[in-house]
């Protein structure tokens, strides 16, 4: 028995020696480099690729099937001289016996100097699309012989046969050094590249965490962008469950290039990534993002991956200085009225989206001292379909308006100097000083107002409401704005709100389809204090009262000046319970009466106001000039009629005004202008000319008109004397009715 065991042991040992000797002989006596042509032909026939082996092939047989390829490249069969991939070295080893059990157990896999070149031609065809495709069959001979029809191959998922175990992958480590991927698109001119790619992993096993590290330099051609990235994390995959994860993912890097105006942005992203293809879902939990000063937290979930993906999630952006952030990424903001705006921004919202849309629901946006809540959405990326539904507590829009250009500021200063000059003259002696000159300085800016190209492409629906909105220094309560736009036509359905103790309501259209934008506006202002519209930089307004205005206006252009120069339409206005500030019409009337009396006023003009019950009229606007043919002012004891023009282009006025003494015969402030019967019914003429800001302070007695009144006043004096004589002669001898009739004859 011992002899049998000894013999059996010797046999087994002999067999092992034979196997080892055979393996040694096979690996040392058989050189695969002698069969490069056969290997290349096998690659053509089986893999349908053109394999070029410029370097040596190294290999081992047992217990590892080892392979090393040096200086190899791969091309498609239709372009064998244009390789799309080449490498300096590929080294791997596979255990032989596990292969019989459909298990791939590898030692370290190393790839050195991989260079992958992908390209599309002018027809949009990619060079990778022909990988693995055989050459087209040759045309059959003219003899009529035809090749048997071969049904086209249909792509299908590779599934193991019934009862067959799936391939099991087991790699000790994977290392890729100095790899490069290049993509070029001849049709669009775009190019992208990833260079100096370094990838390393620890053991790669199905269903366990695989630590990995990836670094690379990325770049694009149009526009020029460069980025350095580093990725760390633990990958995990389960092919049977079709579940893939990247846990504790940390992506960081730096970005620079033309869009950033050669400035740089450091960025990072962290979180837990999951793709469950069996459930058709993907998730990014514990999301953390940073980009220079910006910091954000959130989570993303995508479902229905295999049909119509739908995105849900949330995002929270911590308070940051948007102005500094934009400057750090090369975005230059235009100068605003308040340079401290956009320094305190914070956002929280819920995300919903599809392949073509993205919405921020339940939005809470803090913008400096304001808070917005509601919804922001782009319903169609291709159409730029923007949807806005926001509510705000208080918002000072003036702070965010564009500051005036140097040219506009210079023009405004010149006009104000002109107004101040006329104002000083008016205050020094409005009754006796010369009539102010008509203004000549343009009152409006030529700066561009509207981004026409953007508005033409805009698809907009906006619904905004404000608890308090400040616009052009006007505090608007409960403001509402509803607007829509599509195809270059923007419609203002409503802009309304409370203004002081009154209200306003405006509607209109903006058409940017023509080369020159066209604007149409209809509006109503109801009992709003007029002084808030006409005061300037804290100066005392020339007029006070409650304004009611109805207007229907059109204009064209893309600057304040162009819009005023083309302003046309109609308007009607009423100002109730008003006051003409620093304008004493009684004094103006007194000057006219003193002239008729051929007397000189004994006192200096008193700068007091003139209250009135009502001021009303209508306006016809033609190219920036408003004609007012029916101005009427009701003042106790006086009636004022006027007609003239308001030149909105220079904010100037030119009026002829008549003041009529009615039943109020109270004593005038100066003996030289005492009112008596002969002045009743006379229309004393005034001329008002100068900057609109002066109001009634720009009015002077019309000396030429007063001269014409002298004859009428003389007639009134004669009638007065005749009436006195009739009273003396007739006494009580005739009835009062007859006496009045006789007096009327003399008046004629």
């Amino acid at each position: 028995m011992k002899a049998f065991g000894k013999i059996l042991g010797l046999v087994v040992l002999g067999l092992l020696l034979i196997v080892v000797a055979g393996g040694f002989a096979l690996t040392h006596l058989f050189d695969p480099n002698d069969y490069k042509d056969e290997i290349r032909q096998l690659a053509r026939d089986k893999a349908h690729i053109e394999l070029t082996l410029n370097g040596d092939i190294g290999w081992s047989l047992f217990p590892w099937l080892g392979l090393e390829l040096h200086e190899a490249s791969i091309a498609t069969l239709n372009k064998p001289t244009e390789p799309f991939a080449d490498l300096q070295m590929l080294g791997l080893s596979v255990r032989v016996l596990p292969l019989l059990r459909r298990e791939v157990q590898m030692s370290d896999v190393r790839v050195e100097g991989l260079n992958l070149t992908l390209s599309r031609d002018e027809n949009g065809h990619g060079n990778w699309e022909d990988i693995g495709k055989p050459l087209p069959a040759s045309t059959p001979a003219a003899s009529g012989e035809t090749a048997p029809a071969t049904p086209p191959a249909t792509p299908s998922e590779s599934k193991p046969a019934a009862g067959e175990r799936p391939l099991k992958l087991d790699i000790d480590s994977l290392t890729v050094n100095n790899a490069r991927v290049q993509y070029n698109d001849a049709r669009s001119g775009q190019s992208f590249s990833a260079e100096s790619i370094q990838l390393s992993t620890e053991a790669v096993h199905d269903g366990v965490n695989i630590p990995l590290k990836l670094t690379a330099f990325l770049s694009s051609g149009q526009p020029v962008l460069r980025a350095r990235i580093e990725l760390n994390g633990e990958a995990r995959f389960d092919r049977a469950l079709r579940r893939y994860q990247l846990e504790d993912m940390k992506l960081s890097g730096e970005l620079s290039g033309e869009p950033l105006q050669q400035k740089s942005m450091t960025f990072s992203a962290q979180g837990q990534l999951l793709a469950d293809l069996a459930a058709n879902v993907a998730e990014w939990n514990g999301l953390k993002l940073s980009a220079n000063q910006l910091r954000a937290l959130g989570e993303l979930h995508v479902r229905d991956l295999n049909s119509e993906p739908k995105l849900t999630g949330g995002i929270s952006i911590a308070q940051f200085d948007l102005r500094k952030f934009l400057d750090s990424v090369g975005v230059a903001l235009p100068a605003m009225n308040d340079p401290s705006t956009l320094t305190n921004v914070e956002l929280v919202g819920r995300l919903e989206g599809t392949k073509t849309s993205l919405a921020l629901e339940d939005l809470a946006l803090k913008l400096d001292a304001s808070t917005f809540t509601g919804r922001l959405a782009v319903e169609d990326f291709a159409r730029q379909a923007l949807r806005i539904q926001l509510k705000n507590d208080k918002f000072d829009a003036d702070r965010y308006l564009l500051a005036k250009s140097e040219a506009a500021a210079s023009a405004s200063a010149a006009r104000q100097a002109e107004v101040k000059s006329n104002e000083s003259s008016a205050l020094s002696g409005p009754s006796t000083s010369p009539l102010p000159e008509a203004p000549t300085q343009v009152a409006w800016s030529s700066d561009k107002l509207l981004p026409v190209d953007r508005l033409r492409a805009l698809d907009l629906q906006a619904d905004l409401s404000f608890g308090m909105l400040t616009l052009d220094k006007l505090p608007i309560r409960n403001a509402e704005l509803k607007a829509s736009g599509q195809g270059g036509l923007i419609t203002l359905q409503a802009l309304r709100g409370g203004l002081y103790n009154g209200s306003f309501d405006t509607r209109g259209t903006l058409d940017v389809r023509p080369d020159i934008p066209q604007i149409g506006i209809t509006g109503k202002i109801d009992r709003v204090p007029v002084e808030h519209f006409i005061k300037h930089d804290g100066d005392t307004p020339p007029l006070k009262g409650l304004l009611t205005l109805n207007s229907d206006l059109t204009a064209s252009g893309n600057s304040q000046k162009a819009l005023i120069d083309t302003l046309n339409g109609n308007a009607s206005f009423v100002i109730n319970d008003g006051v003409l500030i620093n304008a004493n019409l009684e004094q103006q009337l007194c000057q006219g009466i003193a002239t008729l009396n051929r007397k000189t006023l004994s006192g200096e003009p008193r700068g007091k106001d003139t209250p009135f019950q009502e001021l009303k009229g209508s306006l016809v606007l033609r190219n920036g000039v408003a004609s007012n043919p029916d101005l009427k002012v009701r003042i106790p004891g006086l009636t004022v009629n006027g007609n003239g023009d308001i030149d909105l282009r220079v904010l100037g006025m030119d009026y002829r005004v008549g003041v009529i003494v009615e039943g109020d015969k109270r004593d005038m402030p100066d003996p030289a202008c005492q009112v008596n019967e002969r002045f009743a019914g006379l229309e004393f003429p005034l001329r008002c000319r100068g900057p609109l800001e002066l109001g009634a302070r720009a009015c002077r007695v019309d000396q030429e008109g007063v001269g014409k009144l002298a004859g009428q006043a003389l007639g009134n004096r004669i009638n007065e004397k005749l009436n006195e004589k009739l009273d003396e002669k007739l006494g009580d001898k005739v009835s009062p009715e007859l006496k009045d009739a006789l007096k009327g004859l003399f008046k004629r």
Side-chain angles (χ1 to χ4, degrees):
M1 194 67 180
K2 290 182 179 180
F4 177 76
K6 186 177 181 179
I7 294 172
L8 181 59
L10 292 173
V11 171
V12 172
L13 178 60
L15 290 175
L16 288 175
L17 291 174
I18 293 172
V19 170
V20 172
F24 178 83
L26 184 62
T27 55
H28 285 75
L29 301 178
F30 173 75
D31 187 357
N33 291 286
D34 296 336
Y35 298 90
K36 286 184 178 180
D37 291 338
E38 287 78 359
I39 294 173
R40 283 193 287 266
Q41 188 61 46
L42 189 64
R44 294 189 192 103
D45 296 340
K46 300 299 183 182
H48 304 300
I49 57 174
E50 184 66 31
L51 175 64
T52 301
L53 301 172
N54 295 321
D56 291 335
I57 303 174
W59 78 300
S60 61
L61 179 63
F62 191 84
W64 296 90
L65 177 58
L67 178 67
E68 281 191 5
L69 295 179
H70 295 267
E71 303 296 332
S73 64
I74 300 174
T76 58
L77 294 181
N78 60 340
K79 292 184 178 181
T81 61
E82 299 179 12
F84 65 84
D86 60 77
L87 53 83
Q88 295 176 2
M89 191 275 288
L90 168 64
L92 56 88
S93 298
V94 182
R95 288 187 182 273
V96 176
L97 294 180
L99 287 177
L100 303 178
R101 303 190 299 270
R102 294 186 56 81
E103 295 178 4
V104 178
Q105 295 182 9
M106 293 185 180
S107 63
D108 299 338
V109 176
R110 294 182 298 118
V111 180
E112 301 282 350
L114 173 65
N115 186 15
L116 182 62
T117 303
L118 308 175
S119 63
R120 285 189 183 274
D121 58 23
E122 291 80 358
N123 299 320
H125 182 74
N127 63 345
W128 64 89
E129 296 178 12
D130 295 327
I131 297 175
K133 292 183 179 180
L135 289 173
S138 58
T139 306
S143 61
E145 295 180 1
T146 59
T150 303
T154 58
S156 61
E157 285 193 32
S158 177
K159 297 181 180 180
E164 186 178 0
R165 292 185 303 170
L167 186 65
K168 184 178 179 181
L169 189 62
D170 190 350
I171 303 174
D172 288 346
S173 68
L174 171 64
T175 303
V176 178
N177 289 323
N178 198 26
R180 179 177 183 272
V181 178
Q182 177 73 36
Y183 170 80
N184 296 286
D185 192 326
R187 184 164 57 179
S188 65
Q190 291 182 330
S191 64
F192 303 95
S193 68
E195 300 182 356
S196 301
I197 301 173
Q198 303 287 128
L199 172 64
S200 62
T201 74
E202 296 185 12
V204 179
H205 303 293
D206 202 343
V208 300
N209 287 2
I210 307 166
L212 63 84
K213 180 178 181 180
L214 170 69
T215 61
F217 290 90
L218 310 178
S219 65
S220 68
Q222 292 184 355
V224 176
L225 274 172
R226 297 173 298 276
R228 173 188 57 82
I229 65 167
E230 179 175 335
L231 175 66
N232 291 277
E234 294 189 358
R236 183 186 181 97
F237 62 91
D238 192 323
R239 291 178 299 153
L241 299 177
R242 302 175 65 198
R243 184 182 176 92
Y244 306 90
Q245 295 174 262
L246 183 57
E247 298 180 356
D248 299 328
M249 184 271 291
K250 295 181 180 179
L251 173 67
S252 60
E254 186 174 0
L255 179 67
S256 64
E258 290 179 348
L260 280 68
Q261 303 301 315
Q262 306 309 318
K263 294 185 177 182
S264 63
M265 179 180 73
T266 58
F267 62 89
S268 68
Q270 301 180 33
Q272 315 295 324
L273 277 66
L274 166 68
D276 191 333
L277 302 184
N280 286 313
V281 298
E283 297 178 354
W284 187 350
N285 295 306
L287 181 153
K288 293 183 180 180
L289 295 174
S290 69
N292 287 0
Q293 298 90 348
L294 186 146
R295 302 289 185 272
L297 302 174
E299 58 181 23
L300 299 176
H301 305 276
V302 183
R303 64 182 187 277
D304 300 333
L305 289 174
N306 63 343
S307 54
E308 293 293 331
K310 296 178 179 61
L311 170 71
T312 59
I315 188 168
S316 173
I317 299 178
Q319 177 182 323
F320 74 110
D321 189 329
L322 179 59
R323 187 176 290 272
K324 285 185 179 179
F325 171 75
L326 293 176
D327 179 70
S328 72
V329 295
V331 177
L333 288 174
M336 297 180 181
N337 288 334
D338 186 351
S340 68
T341 54
L342 305 179
T343 57
N344 187 350
V345 179
E346 187 176 346
L347 181 147
V348 176
R350 181 169 54 84
L351 290 167
E352 290 188 2
T354 66
K355 291 188 297 185
T356 60
S357 67
L358 180 64
L360 263 174
E361 307 283 356
D362 301 330
L363 172 69
L365 170 64
K366 290 185 178 180
L367 182 62
D368 299 319
S370 298
T371 300
F372 292 85
T373 58
R375 178 178 187 266
L376 283 176
V378 180
E379 289 194 349
D380 191 303
F381 296 133
R383 294 188 293 111
Q384 301 183 39
L386 183 61
R387 304 293 180 256
I388 304 174
Q389 294 176 328
L390 294 176
K391 292 183 178 180
N392 171 262
D393 54 351
K394 58 180 180 178
F395 184 65
D396 187 350
D398 291 342
R399 298 177 61 197
Y400 301 85
L401 295 179
L402 300 184
K404 289 183 179 179
S405 66
E406 292 185 5
S410 176
S412 178
R415 184 181 183 281
Q416 288 307 310
E418 184 179 51
V419 171
K420 292 293 183 183
S421 175
N422 280 306
E423 189 174 30
S424 299
S425 174
L427 290 175
S428 65
S431 298
T432 57
S433 61
L435 192 68
E437 293 295 329
T440 59
Q441 297 291 334
V442 175
W444 307 98
S445 169
S446 296
D447 294 348
K448 182 179 177 181
L449 281 178
L450 305 171
V452 173
D453 293 337
R454 294 183 183 178
L455 292 176
R456 284 172 180 159
L458 187 64
D459 183 341
L460 171 70
Q461 289 183 13
D463 187 347
L464 303 173
S465 62
F466 302 84
M468 177 62 72
L469 171 66
T470 302
L471 182 62
D472 197 20
K473 300 182 180 179
L474 298 174
I476 305 171
R477 304 183 320 276
N478 301 321
E480 296 180 24
L481 186 152
K482 293 183 179 180
S484 62
Q486 191 171 25
L489 179 62
I490 299 172
T491 302
L492 178 64
Q493 285 110 355
L495 175 59
R496 63 172 69 96
L499 195 54
Y500 299 99
N501 292 323
S503 63
F504 73 97
D505 193 345
T506 303
R507 292 173 174 79
T509 59
L510 169 63
D511 191 349
V512 294
R513 294 172 295 185
D515 293 336
I516 300 176
Q518 309 291 318
I519 295 178
I521 294 177
T522 60
K524 180 178 181 180
I525 297 173
D526 187 19
R527 298 184 67 81
V528 175
V530 67
E531 58 268 25
H532 298 292
F533 294 111
I534 57 179
K535 66 181 178 181
H536 177 76
D537 292 339
D539 293 344
T540 301
L543 176 67
K544 290 185 178 180
L546 299 178
L547 171 66
T548 297
L549 172 71
N550 290 280
S551 61
D552 187 357
L553 306 172
T554 63
S556 60
N558 195 13
S559 68
Q560 289 181 347
K561 182 179 183 303
L563 292 174
I564 294 298
D565 288 347
T566 58
L567 189 62
N568 292 280
N570 299 279
S572 62
F573 63 91
V574 177
I575 301 176
N576 296 109
D577 304 325
V579 178
L580 300 175
I581 305 297
N582 289 329
N584 190 349
L585 282 187
E586 189 177 78
Q587 184 72 25
Q588 299 285 356
L589 177 61
C590 194
Q591 177 66 38
I593 294 173
T595 301
L596 291 179
N597 287 334
R598 297 183 180 182
K599 296 181 180 180
T600 302
L601 296 175
S602 60
E604 291 295 324
R606 294 182 299 173
K608 70 174 187 177
D609 306 333
T610 300
F612 61 86
Q613 297 167 329
E614 182 182 75
L615 185 154
K616 67 178 181 179
S618 62
L619 299 172
V620 178
L621 292 96
R622 294 291 180 269
N623 297 325
V625 178
S627 298
N628 177 202
D630 54 358
L631 178 68
K632 293 187 179 295
V633 186
R634 288 198 298 114
I635 300 173
L638 302 175
T639 295
V640 180
N641 298 317
N643 67 86
D645 295 330
I646 299 175
D647 191 340
L648 297 175
R649 299 169 298 182
V650 294
L651 289 181
M653 63 178 176
D654 191 348
Y655 270 82
R656 294 188 181 275
V657 178
V659 182
I660 302 173
V661 180
E662 294 179 334
D664 187 358
K665 304 299 188 299
R666 66 183 184 275
D667 290 340
M668 297 298 281
D670 196 293
C673 63
Q674 290 299 314
V675 177
N676 52 44
E677 184 65 28
R678 69 177 179 272
F679 296 121
L682 290 183
E683 186 174 79
F684 289 86
L686 302 178
R687 180 78 181 276
C688 303
R689 185 183 69 189
L692 199 58
E693 290 92 334
L694 295 181
R697 288 176 291 170
C699 296
R700 303 290 184 273
V701 173
D702 188 343
Q703 299 295 336
E704 180 182 349
V706 169
K708 295 179 181 179
L709 285 179
Q712 187 177 352
L714 178 60
N716 288 345
R717 175 63 178 167
I718 294 173
N719 287 335
E720 182 181 342
K721 293 296 184 181
L722 288 174
N723 289 333
E724 291 176 357
K725 293 294 183 181
L726 282 174
D727 286 336
E728 291 176 3
K729 297 294 183 181
L730 297 178
D732 296 332
K733 298 177 182 179
V734 297
S735 66
E737 291 81 6
L738 178 58
K739 188 185 295 185
D740 291 340
L742 290 173
K743 290 180 180 180
L745 290 174
F746 289 109
K747 288 184 179 180
R748 295 190 182 95

